[in-house]
Amino acid sequence: MLNIGDSYNNKYIVVSHLGKGGMARVLLVRDQQLGSLWALKETSKVKHPKETELQRQKRVSDVLSEAKLLSIVRNPNIPRVADIHETEDYIYILQDYVEGVTLREKLDSTQKIKIKRYLEKHPDVTLDTLNNKFIFRQMSKSDFLNISRKVASIMKYLHTLNPPIIYRDLKPENLMIDESN
């Protein structure tokens, strides 16, 4: 397991932790020669307590297959896979670093701004009395349409490949939004 300041592959230095998912974590690494930033996905190959050995082998195989498949995908809205490296305990996947926030973070920040404005206009209302379904998860129509078009374009691209790629983990936490949305 890599930590901040550690060297990866004698070429990259771990700068920070970017996030963590169910099976992996993502680190920000800097190329020591070029200074460029990359995202490094670190996935454990170690068997989880509730996992059979067969399930572990399938999980590891799936991670490697996905990385190899993504290494040949070329789309400006999909981060490139530049390298795959295995150790005894981990699989490392080096990808383009996308500077920005997840769609989930964008929705949450939009939510906080709208709640603050609403409470300023309605001093008699407390946070506890707000109807979450009414005020939460709002964003501008233009942002919504722009993001939706880009996601649809990515899905169309993946589905028209031969063989088609079916992305089964589409959720706000897995979509990065940069400064141009």
Side-chain angles (χ1 to χ4, degrees):
M1 176 187 277
L2 293 173
N3 295 302
I4 295 173
D6 287 351
S7 174
Y8 164 71
N9 244 8
N10 295 317
K11 182 174 177 161
Y12 304 93
I13 295 291
V14 178
V15 177
S16 68
H17 295 104
L18 294 175
K20 183 177 172 139
M23 299 189 326
R25 63 187 190 130
V26 181
L27 308 165
L28 180 65
V29 297
R30 181 183 311 278
D31 184 310
Q32 293 183 76
Q33 287 187 315
L34 301 176
S36 53
L37 296 174
W38 295 86
L40 182 66
K41 184 176 180 180
E42 179 185 65
T43 304
S44 174
K45 292 167 57 176
V46 176
K47 186 176 156 304
H48 300 305
K50 294 183 180 180
E51 191 177 46
T52 67
E53 179 57 26
L54 191 59
Q55 289 170 324
R56 184 200 71 79
Q57 289 173 4
K58 181 176 181 342
R59 176 175 54 81
V60 168
S61 174
D62 288 351
V63 168
L64 290 169
S65 295
E66 177 185 322
K68 288 173 185 171
L69 185 64
L70 287 175
S71 72
I72 61 170
V73 169
R74 295 291 178 256
N75 182 291
N77 292 310
I78 300 173
R80 291 174 304 138
V81 170
D83 190 30
I84 303 166
H85 176 77
E86 281 188 81
T87 66
E88 185 176 330
D89 293 331
Y90 293 96
I91 300 168
Y92 293 97
I93 302 168
L94 189 72
Q95 296 179 274
D96 286 330
Y97 168 60
V98 177
E99 189 168 357
V101 297
T102 66
L103 179 55
R104 168 65 57 221
E105 291 167 331
K106 183 174 179 70
L107 290 170
D108 288 347
S109 68
T110 301
Q111 161 193 312
K112 289 174 186 168
I113 291 167
K114 291 194 180 285
I115 289 172
K116 183 178 179 189
R117 287 185 191 148
Y118 185 86
L119 291 174
E120 287 169 356
K121 290 179 184 177
H122 302 88
D124 56 315
V125 176
T126 66
L127 193 56
D128 294 335
T129 61
L130 286 177
N131 179 347
N132 292 350
K133 292 180 183 175
F134 172 71
I135 198 166
F136 286 65
R137 307 290 186 248
Q138 296 178 10
M139 71 167 49
S140 75
K141 183 178 179 179
S142 63
D143 280 354
F144 173 79
L145 291 173
N146 186 22
I147 292 167
S148 297
R149 284 185 190 112
K150 285 191 179 173
V151 170
S153 171
I154 292 167
M155 292 298 113
K156 179 181 178 183
Y157 168 78
L158 292 173
H159 293 177
T160 57
L161 292 174
N162 189 10
I165 296 175
I166 308 300
Y167 184 57
R168 294 187 174 114
D169 202 17
L170 182 61
K171 58 186 176 185
E173 293 80 4
N174 290 343
L175 294 172
M176 292 297 298
I177 309 295
D178 65 10
E179 59 201 23
S180 68
N181 272 334

